[in-house]
Amino acid sequence: MIKSLRVRNFKVFEDVTFDFGDVDRGSGNVSVIVGPSGSGKSALVDAFLLLKQVVGLNPDAPNPFARWGGYEKVVFMNNKEKDISLEVTGVIKGQGEYKYNVTLNGSIIEDERIEIKGKGTCYKRDKNGNISDCARNKDVGTVTGNTSMVFYLYRNNCEKTYKGEETQTGEACTILNQLMNGIGVFRVVPSVAASPVPITFPKDMMEETGRGLPMVLLNYFIGRKEGKYIDQPTTRFIDKFIDRDLRAMRMIPKPTLTAEGYVRLLFVRNTGEVSSSVEGSGNEVDASYGLVPDGVLKMLVLLAAMGILGLSTIVVDELENSLHPAYLEFLMGVVRSSGKQLIATTNSPAVVDLLDPSEVILLKREGSNVTAAKLDPVVKQRLREEGKYLSSYIWRYLSDYLFY
């Protein structure tokens, strides 16, 4: 789980630290970022996207800034002389706290370091690609091009460990795996999430838009028939959503492999009993034709990300889009009870009023200066005394701004 993210010289952030709480101590499962337009809500989501791209850098990876039009487009004040840096602190339950930081200029990794507090585990990479064990002061290896140290260590040590071929420090591999594979960033586009994907599409991933959902669901339902996923807490919520909410709508998902080699997401409309599996009967609706509610598709993406793909942290831009308040409440309950982590941005009072004040991070911008702060703990007592909703307090707090 992510405890904090410090962002320097990226987009509107000159130097801003986001404190998401301490999940290992029972707080921080939900963090929702609120602020006026231009204060950096979407920039925070982009910072997580950059983090994911950087840790996955390998000799074949594209420039991590290409999606934004280049380094000069996203560095603070468009000053190419400045370095962009990200610093993540996180915790793996029962295994300890870690810190990872990376500094870039252009597309070049200038410096990279990861350490596990109290465990004597530390690795660093310099600008020339030399990786060393900084706790034992010895060389580990050298990477070519702009390969990330995280990618190198994970690929050369941890993948072998998980296959039983080699032993590596357990805590280090767990943390590297979280950085590489445990964080999902989503700006769900329901029409894209519902679109068919080729059978060659990876079974264990979804793109930022939700593309890949049909393959993930197909793999899940096949796995269930083979006895997998039974009574797992994280997948139980998917089954509950399908068997309660979607059955009430007479709309059961049926991912199907076509003769052309594509996986399509169909929904079975049936008044009878239809199990949530790849088998079904009745009137079938192709989700890619726009006949399935956007909120249903977005919920399936987010629940599948946590339950099927096993992501420990999901970052969602504009959480409220397409989601009915009842779906939002259900999603919050899933996160809080499953031990997963949700970091989301919102402009919606409906989302804010589902939160405890400790789960809100407020962004304010004055000129080029952006700050991020959690609400004072006394807010909760004040709201109780005044009988007001949290959203009314927050929007009053931001009342100096014209747009929300």
Side-chain angles (χ1 to χ4, degrees), residues 12-13 16-18 32-44 345 360-366 369-374 394 397-398 401:
V12 299
F13 304 132
V16 180
T17 298
F18 294 86
V32 175
I33 293 82
V34 180
S37 297
S39 61
K41 297 187 297 296
S42 293
L44 172 62
T345 69
V360 176
I361 297 176
L362 288 175
L363 287 177
K364 292 191 73 173
R365 181 175 183 176
E366 298 180 1
N369 183 46
V370 173
T371 58
K374 305 202 81 169
I394 289 177
Y397 179 88
L398 298 172
Y401 296 89

Side-chain angles (χ1 to χ4, degrees), residues 1 29 234 306-307 310-312 334-336 338-342:
M1 304 293 179
N29 287 79
T234 53
M306 292 184 288
L311 300 179
S312 57
V334 170
V335 174
R336 294 188 179 110
S338 66
K340 301 292 184 177
Q341 182 180 29
L342 170 67

Side-chain angles (χ1 to χ4, degrees), residues 247-252 268-274 281-283:
R247 188 181 299 281
M249 298 170 66
R250 298 189 175 95
M251 184 176 288
I252 305 299
V268 178
R269 290 187 179 276
N270 197 303
T271 57
E273 292 295 312
V274 181
S281 60
N283 184 29

Side-chain angles (χ1 to χ4, degrees), residues 108-274:
I108 305 300
I109 295 178
E110 299 280 341
D111 181 73
E112 197 175 14
R113 183 185 180 98
I114 187 167
E115 62 180 304
I116 305 175
K117 294 185 178 180
K119 299 290 185 178
T121 301
C122 173
Y123 296 97
K124 65 179 181 180
R125 175 202 189 277
D126 64 21
K127 184 176 181 178
N128 298 318
N130 300 312
I131 300 174
S132 61
D133 184 331
C134 42
R136 297 170 178 81
N137 195 27
K138 68 175 186 177
D139 295 335
V140 173
T142 302
V143 295
T144 58
N146 208 31
T147 302
S148 164
M149 176 184 68
V150 173
F151 177 86
Y152 173 87
L153 292 173
Y154 183 80
R155 178 60 57 87
N156 288 277
N157 295 305
C158 302
E159 284 190 342
K160 295 180 180 179
T161 298
Y162 293 141
K163 294 175 183 177
E165 300 173 7
E166 190 173 313
T167 301
Q168 175 76 358
T169 305
E171 295 92 345
C173 282
T174 303
I175 289 167
L176 292 170
N177 185 53
Q178 175 171 307
L179 287 170
M180 286 283 294
N181 305 311
I183 303 171
V185 182
F186 295 99
R187 290 184 169 106
V188 180
V189 180
S191 60
V192 177
S195 62
V197 293
I199 190 62
T200 54
F201 195 89
K203 298 179 180 180
D204 56 355
M205 69 159 286
M206 285 187 292
E207 296 177 357
E208 176 188 350
T209 56
R211 182 171 180 262
L213 176 64
M215 176 63 78
V216 170
L217 290 178
L218 177 66
N219 191 48
Y220 172 61
F221 289 140
I222 290 175
R224 285 194 60 191
K225 291 185 69 175
E226 295 174 348
K228 301 177 183 178
Y229 305 112
I230 303 301
D231 292 328
Q232 290 187 12
T234 53
T235 57
R236 197 176 300 140
F237 295 112
I238 300 173
D239 295 336
K240 183 177 181 180
F241 180 67
I242 292 173
D243 292 335
R244 185 194 66 179
D245 296 79
L246 299 191
R247 188 181 299 281
M249 298 170 66
R250 298 189 175 95
M251 184 176 288
I252 305 299
K254 178 188 173 184
T256 303
L257 177 61
T258 70
E260 294 80 18
Y262 282 83
V263 179
R264 306 188 73 90
L265 182 55
L266 307 181
F267 280 77
V268 178
R269 290 187 179 276
N270 197 303
T271 57
E273 292 295 312
V274 181

